[in-house]
Amino acid sequence: MEPSGSSLEDTRVSVLTRERAVAEWDVLAPFFEQAIPYTCGRRDIDDVRDCVDDGNGLVIIAWNPDASEIYATFLAECLQYPKKRVMSLTLCGGGSIALWKHLYPAIVHVAESMGFDQLEVVGRPGWSKIVGADKETSRMFVEELNGGK
């Protein structure tokens, strides 16, 4: 959805219940589909839906509740390490970045309020403009093996 006269003050971050995310899948799927090409062939849109439907993935939206406009969707997954519980934002799809990039601190707050120790963002290099270049700790390199099967 494209904004219709929205302002920065109108945008919010909301975590959807599994039931609501599944019920609204036809609205959410096109946002996630934008991010699928960047998964290096690891997921398709059905995998994302299964992750949400199984309760393994959490859907976070950036939106204007007054106008019922969604600007971006995020798939968050819980990673449990021996010493840290991590919310990993593994997919983000959407447009109108100017209307939601300022909401990153709200996503951090969501992760903190849910008891996570860290928030990890898996994304393209442009995410450093949102998260802060000083927070980049590593880069991922993917090599397809066996002909990419």
Side-chain angles (χ1 to χ4, degrees):
M1 296 178 180
E2 285 303 314
S4 58
S6 297
S7 69
L8 296 180
E9 297 81 36
D10 297 329
T11 56
R12 303 281 181 268
V13 167
S14 293
V15 178
L16 301 185
T17 63
R18 183 189 67 77
E19 294 79 14
R20 182 160 179 212
V22 170
E24 299 290 334
W25 189 250
D26 289 343
V27 174
L28 302 171
F31 291 94
F32 286 121
E33 286 174 337
Q34 295 173 24
I36 294 297
Y38 303 102
T39 67
C40 301
R42 295 176 183 172
R43 296 179 186 223
D44 62 25
I45 195 65
D46 293 327
D47 298 326
V48 176
R49 183 190 165 109
D50 290 346
C51 181
V52 172
D53 195 25
D54 294 344
N56 296 321
L58 185 67
V59 175
I60 300 172
I61 60 172
W63 70 312
N64 176 336
D66 294 331
S68 296
E69 293 178 303
I70 297 174
Y71 305 126
T73 59
F74 305 87
L75 178 67
E77 297 178 86
C78 177
L79 304 177
Q80 184 63 59
Y81 293 96
K83 299 193 182 328
K84 301 278 184 177
R85 184 170 177 252
V86 178
M87 176 186 277
S88 180
L89 297 181
T90 55
L91 282 178
C92 173
S96 308
I97 191 169
L99 289 176
W100 61 265
K101 70 179 180 178
H102 70 285
L103 294 173
Y104 181 73
I107 296 172
V108 170
H109 178 73
V110 165
E112 288 174 336
S113 70
M114 295 179 78
F116 288 95
D117 301 305
Q118 293 179 332
L119 176 62
E120 168 184 277
V121 177
V122 178
R124 295 181 287 158
W127 269 95
S128 66
K129 296 174 188 167
I130 297 170
V131 177
D134 60 321
K135 294 182 181 156
E136 183 177 348
T137 61
S138 63
R139 292 185 182 235
M140 181 175 75
F141 303 90
V142 177
E143 174 117 11
E144 291 291 343
L145 306 175
N146 301 315
K149 297 177 185 176

